[in-house]
Amino acid sequence: MTADIPVLPDAAKNLAPVKDPVIGRVVSNNSCMKGKSASFVRHTEIDVSGTPLEGNCLVGQSFGVLAPGKDPKGKTHKVRLYSIACPSYGEDGEGKIISTTPKRFIDEFNAEEKSPGPTENGLFLGVCSNYLCKLEPGDKVKLTGPSGKRFLLPVDRDKHDYVFIATGTGIAPFRGMAMELLSHPDHGPTTSQIHLLMGAPYTSDLLYDDLFTGLASKHDNFHYHTAISRETRPDGSRGCYIHQLVDEQIAQFGPILENPRTVLYICGLAGMQIGLYQSMAHHKLNNGYFKIGEKLSGTDPIDWEPSQIRRGVKATGRCMVEVY
Ligand code: FAD
Ligand code: A2P
């Protein structure tokens, strides 16, 4: 069977450039974590009505945020991108309120890193994520974008099935996509199969967990799987990464990935695609998702080095990758 390469919509890009950003106004900014954790992740809603971003941000795209202040060299801070976490029709149904999922970047200060921001008590605080996370309703924020033209839902949603694979804040676009596919105010829920796989360190770090468990109980075609890396599992085995979950449950995921209707979306930590590519190639499930370069073809994927994969494996028509 030939695979169905998804036809993607034409996405508007860069309507608000860095040189001419728009001003959004924060509507709400609340934790979207399941429980208390060492991390801090918010769901941030921003009103962009009356700006070129209104009605022009597609789910899967991102927008830019310009944090106020200057870097240690006295230059204005560079733009940082944040994935859109709402459907293309926004949080309000009209594309006036968009949202994202910022995670505070906090670490012990490391003098060997090229630090762009201040330190406090030996802690390095990322500039833009901490700025975003502490914004309050009514605050103004400078935005750019939208950005991205490939990590999008297909034009014909019902023609495809979906495997969404996230780590951490990589879940952001899948919140919007799942809502758009299942709760669209005009089209009603899709009958396509949707599998969402989410990787997090602890159960408390799961993001938008109530939404996804709610969608899974309401829609038989929505399946929510979690891979918790730092907790012992009920059967006594160690925690796992998402590609290990796919590997362990290949009897379930193999036929889904083999189905020519399926489109695979990968979003989150840079490097998360490596293990997935290895596992999929090992099970001969790469067809339509990625091309394996000459140097690697014919070799055992288990032996592939990450640097070889970065150079020699390229996503193709049915595989969308957004890692950062
Ligand atoms: P920065 O101030 O930029 O700090 C990070 C930099 O600090 C590093 O690059 C390094 O140079 C330096 N550094 C790192 N560790 C240390 C240390 N220990 N000591 C000193 N210096 C150090 N993020 C989200 O949270 N949610 C999203 O939805 C999201 N979507 C994205 C979508 C796309 C397409 C892309 C490209 C990125 C996305 N990001 C998202 C990441 C986001 O753009 C920022 O990179 C992230 O929020 C960190 O930015 P920051 O300004 O807080 O950190
Ligand atoms: P761990 O941190 O235990 O190594 P968060 O962004 O909230 O930290 O979550 C990211 C999740 O992705 C964590 O569970 C993290 O595990 C996991 N992870 C880290 N590296 C990879 C990788 N290369 N492939 C898949 N998952 C990864």
Side-chain angles (χ1 to χ4, degrees):
M1 238 186 308
T2 50
D4 297 323
I5 307 290
V7 176
L8 302 177
D10 272 336
K13 275 183 67 188
N14 213 19
L15 299 172
V18 173
K19 282 193 179 143
D20 192 15
V22 301
I23 307 290
R25 209 173 265 277
V26 175
V27 174
S28 61
N29 202 6
N30 302 311
S31 171
C32 58
M33 309 188 66
K34 187 171 168 71
K36 206 161 164 46
S37 155
S39 300
F40 304 94
V41 188
R42 303 257 196 270
H43 176 69
T44 308
E45 299 192 354
I46 304 173
D47 186 342
V48 294
S49 52
T51 78
L53 295 188
E54 178 182 340
N56 284 315
C57 295
L58 294 184
V59 66
Q61 289 189 291
S62 48
F63 60 83
V65 176
L66 291 166
K70 302 264 166 76
D71 69 16
K73 290 182 184 156
K75 292 188 174 163
T76 51
H77 289 297
K78 286 192 317 254
V79 67
R80 269 77 163 180
L81 295 182
Y82 292 89
S83 296
I84 289 168
C86 56
S88 306
Y89 45 86
E91 297 288 346
D92 57 325
E94 296 181 8
K96 293 180 193 297
I97 299 176
I98 59 173
S99 60
T100 189
T101 315
K103 174 182 177 179
R104 284 184 185 271
F105 187 111
I106 305 174
D107 202 356
E108 287 201 310
F109 179 67
N110 175 356
E112 286 174 18
E113 295 272 358
K114 281 190 190 156
S115 170
T119 59
E120 283 173 36
N121 294 328
L123 287 180
F124 167 69
L125 304 177
V127 172
C128 197
S129 57
N130 285 288
Y131 161 70
L132 262 182
C133 284
K134 71 172 190 242
L135 287 173
E136 292 190 0
D139 284 348
K140 291 178 184 171
V141 53
K142 280 186 187 171
L143 304 176
T144 69
S147 307
K149 61 179 174 124
R150 202 174 122 67
F151 197 87
L152 301 172
L153 282 178
V155 173
D156 186 347
R157 283 144 206 220
D158 299 331
K159 196 173 169 193
H160 300 278
D161 294 314
Y162 302 90
V163 175
F164 297 144
I165 304 192
T167 50
T169 56
I171 198 75
F174 302 139
R175 173 185 182 268
M177 289 182 179
M179 289 168 77
E180 186 149 336
L181 289 167
L182 294 167
S183 317
H184 197 291
D186 301 328
H187 304 314
T190 182
T191 52
S192 298
Q193 291 294 316
I194 307 166
H195 285 263
L196 171 63
L197 285 71
M198 167 63 171
Y202 297 98
T203 306
S204 54
D205 292 297
L206 290 171
L207 306 176
Y208 303 117
D209 185 67
D210 284 353
L211 170 79
F212 297 126
T213 46
L215 287 174
S217 62
K218 191 168 169 199
H219 301 277
D220 288 344
N221 56 332
F222 182 78
H223 314 272
Y224 176 44
H225 315 263
T226 58
I228 306 299
S229 57
R230 301 187 198 174
E231 287 175 9
T232 305
R233 289 186 270 177
D235 66 0
S237 62
R238 289 173 56 191
C240 70
Y241 283 176
I242 24 84
H243 61 269
Q244 292 167 319
L245 190 76
V246 171
D247 211 47
E248 285 169 9
Q249 298 186 19
I250 200 67
Q252 176 183 194
F253 293 117
I256 296 161
L257 290 165
E258 251 167 13
N259 181 345
R261 283 172 48 94
T262 300
V263 191
L264 172 64
Y265 293 77
I266 301 168
C267 188
L269 284 182
M272 66 177 283
Q273 73 280 29
I274 303 269
L276 273 168
Y277 287 166
Q278 276 181 293
S279 175
M280 287 173 66
H282 175 70
H283 294 288
K284 304 203 175 353
L285 291 168
N286 48 296
N287 194 14
Y289 298 112
F290 52 88
K291 278 209 175 94
I292 299 166
E294 265 177 41
K295 282 192 181 157
L296 292 179
S297 72
T299 62
D300 187 341
I302 304 299
D303 298 330
W304 295 352
E305 293 294 330
S307 59
Q308 292 178 305
I309 299 176
R310 282 194 188 92
R311 280 196 306 271
V313 178
K314 297 286 169 246
T316 54
R318 288 196 295 144
C319 180
M320 319 298 184
V321 184
E322 187 95 288
V323 291
Y324 48 85

